[in-house]
Amino acid sequence: MFCFVFFSGVFIVATPGYVIHKSSYPVPHGAGGEVFCRLLHNRYLLFAMGKVSILLIACLAIERWFCVFKPMKYEKDFSRKRVLIYVAAMFIVTCILSMNKFFEVRLSGEKCVTKNAPYGKDGTRAFIISYSVVTFYIPCFLTWFTFADITLNLPATPKESANETERKIQKALLRMCAIAAIALTVCGFPAQTIYILSPFGITKIGSSLHKGFNVLVLFNSCMNPFIYYFSNQEYRKRFKELLACKKPGYYGGDMELETQVSVEE
């Protein structure tokens, strides 16, 4: 997760119009210019990283749901190997669904210019709707669903739980899921809704309102790891090891996603 924050920060700086004004950004010549226009200038890589971050939130929410309600299946479904497969699949799906951006910008002389897509208006609508539903609305729904399910089915009294410590862990888990779900919805929903309505002429891409909400989306991508850091003991431990350049502890066999959360009130 912290790796995605790092690369998102790199792409924010590298993408024209955020840190460096577009008119001051040098556009490479030749093939390098085409790559620049189709990957950076049109914000393809920047928002691909943001969408993968959103999918990771949903994956982590589902992982914690399995830990609470399906402990027998948890070790198998969230082994180290499968987690890596899940992350790779998220990145591939996100890249495929946003491929329409490749055809909407091209290099013209020393500038990146917008061009008409070969698949027409209906194709653009299909791309945007599919992209928005798969990379935002479904993950957002899954995050809220797991949050609500844990809320409704969390044991109400210590007698229904294995012990008081386990119940505190589950309550901290619930708090973490709630914070992640709220942050995802508040930061991402406005910009994504403006984007999905734009091909129908209801909203306008590039407006001041849309740009402002885009800042919230980018902020959410950078904020997610810190939500887990402050509410998860294992995240804090691993992050401190990363900063200290220490080798993370090895737990033997397939390493599952750690589910121990802070029990401090």
Side-chain angles (χ1 to χ4, degrees):
M1 183 72 82
F2 286 103
C3 292
F4 280 99
V5 172
F6 172 77
F7 284 112
S8 294
V10 171
F11 288 132
I12 289 174
V13 175
T15 301
Y18 285 91
V19 178
I20 303 175
H21 195 273
K22 288 185 177 181
S23 60
S24 302
Y25 209 112
V27 178
H29 297 281
E34 286 289 350
V35 172
F36 171 83
C37 291
R38 297 175 188 271
L39 293 182
L40 290 177
H41 185 273
N42 63 0
R43 303 174 296 176
Y44 174 81
L45 288 178
L46 176 63
F47 283 96
M49 297 301 295
K51 296 303 183 183
V52 172
S53 178
I54 292 173
L55 291 172
L56 280 175
I57 295 176
C59 184
L60 287 169
I62 294 172
E63 177 263 337
R64 281 156 177 76
W65 184 89
F66 267 81
C67 177
V68 174
F69 298 114
K70 302 288 185 179
M72 300 300 294
K73 298 182 63 178
Y74 172 79
E75 293 187 4
K76 177 182 177 182
D77 292 340
F78 288 92
S79 65
R80 179 186 179 88
K81 181 179 179 180
R82 289 206 173 190
V83 168
L84 292 175
I85 293 174
Y86 298 155
V87 173
M90 293 175 200
F91 191 80
I92 292 172
V93 169
T94 300
C95 290
I96 291 175
L97 290 177
S98 55
M99 283 186 65
N100 61 303
K101 291 183 177 294
F102 283 109
F103 307 102
E104 297 175 357
V105 177
R106 66 180 178 85
L107 178 67
S108 177
E110 297 182 351
K111 295 182 179 180
C112 297
V113 297
T114 303
K115 66 174 184 178
N116 293 327
Y119 37 78
K121 183 181 295 186
D122 291 337
T124 299
R125 290 175 177 175
F127 266 115
I128 291 178
I129 292 174
S130 300
Y131 174 70
S132 300
V133 170
V134 174
T135 63
F136 181 78
Y137 291 107
I138 290 178
C140 190
F141 170 79
L142 289 175
T143 302
W144 275 107
F145 174 81
T146 54
F147 162 59
D149 197 37
I150 293 173
T151 302
L152 295 174
N153 294 289
L154 193 67
T157 65
K159 294 181 180 180
E160 296 175 345
S161 183
N163 51 58
E164 183 63 20
T165 300
E166 180 182 345
R167 174 166 173 75
K168 288 182 178 179
I169 292 174
Q170 291 175 339
K171 288 176 65 177
L173 165 66
L174 179 62
R175 182 170 58 247
M176 182 178 65
C177 291
I179 294 173
I182 292 171
L184 172 63
T185 304
V186 171
C187 294
F189 189 83
Q192 196 64 55
T193 302
I194 290 175
Y195 182 63
I196 199 172
L197 294 177
S198 63
F200 300 94
I202 301 174
T203 56
K204 183 179 180 181
I205 296 295
S207 64
S208 298
L209 183 65
H210 183 239
K211 290 180 179 178
F213 284 131
N214 274 343
V215 173
L216 282 181
V217 174
L218 299 174
F219 174 74
N220 179 67
S221 297
C222 297
M223 182 176 59
N224 291 329
F226 297 99
I227 292 176
Y228 293 103
Y229 173 86
F230 287 111
S231 58
N232 189 300
Q233 292 178 347
E234 186 63 19
Y235 271 87
R236 287 198 292 272
K237 175 183 175 183
R238 293 302 180 89
F239 185 59
K240 290 176 181 178
E241 290 175 345
L242 179 64
L243 292 179
C245 297
K246 293 180 179 179
K247 184 178 180 180
Y250 182 73
Y251 296 91
D254 284 335
M255 183 179 67
E256 301 105 13
L257 289 172
E258 181 62 47
T259 58
Q260 179 71 20
V261 293
S262 173
V263 298
E264 298 173 359
E265 297 295 337

